[in-house]
Amino acid sequence: QVQLVESGGGSVLVGRSLRLSCQVSGYTSSTNYLAWFRQAPGKAREAVAAISRGGGRKNYADSVKGRFTISQDGAKNTMYLQMNSLKSEDTAMYYCAAGAVVNDQWALNPGSYTHWGQGTQVTVSS
């Protein structure tokens, strides 16, 4: 079993930065991709970014490209999402996920992920 625990969420002003962390543990050999998703009230869950466990491939949603950076520290078993130039529309519950992704084209598809964290709230205000 894979366990994921998010942290780092909070309330920030528009234009500021925030870094989310996801501690990964358990039988991680069963997964090859890690990802961040988010869900705002009344909206469907949407992909933010994904990264292969080896770090060789990264995928970003168009809405965050150029502002967010996904990374991981294998030694610490931790995945990060550095969020810069935050906008009010970035407000959402952010979830980290792990899955076995066969094709990179499915890296941002929530259906590719079988393990999910509990979420951490990010609120961006003006």
Side-chain angles (χ1 to χ4, degrees):
Q1 182 178 189
V2 177
Q3 295 85 41
L4 306 105
V5 180
E6 303 95 333
S7 62
S11 298
V12 297
L13 296 174
V14 168
R16 301 295 180 89
S17 298
L18 197 64
R19 189 178 75 161
L20 305 183
S21 299
C22 175
Q23 183 69 45
V24 184
S25 62
Y27 193 56
T28 57
S29 62
S30 64
T31 64
N32 66 335
Y33 267 80
L34 297 172
W36 289 97
F37 291 82
R38 66 187 183 186
Q39 186 167 27
K43 298 182 65 178
R45 185 168 299 186
E46 64 176 0
V48 177
I51 184 170
S52 61
R53 293 297 298 277
R57 296 190 177 192
K58 297 179 180 179
N59 302 80
Y60 295 95
D62 289 341
S63 60
V64 306
K65 195 170 298 181
R67 298 189 298 121
F68 291 10
T69 302
I70 189 170
S71 63
Q72 61 188 22
D73 185 330
K76 296 182 178 180
N77 296 122
T78 303
M79 175 178 64
Y80 304 96
L81 183 68
Q82 178 65 46
M83 304 184 291
N84 297 328
S85 301
L86 283 163
K87 304 174 180 179
S88 59
E89 49 263 47
D90 293 318
T91 295
M93 183 72 75
Y94 283 71
Y95 301 89
C96 63
V101 178
V102 177
N103 300 116
D104 183 68
Q105 64 182 17
W106 299 111
L108 294 178
N109 189 318
S112 297
Y113 297 87
T114 54
H115 300 84
W116 297 80
Q118 81 289 347
T120 186
Q121 179 68 37
V122 173
T123 302
V124 186
S125 303
S126 60

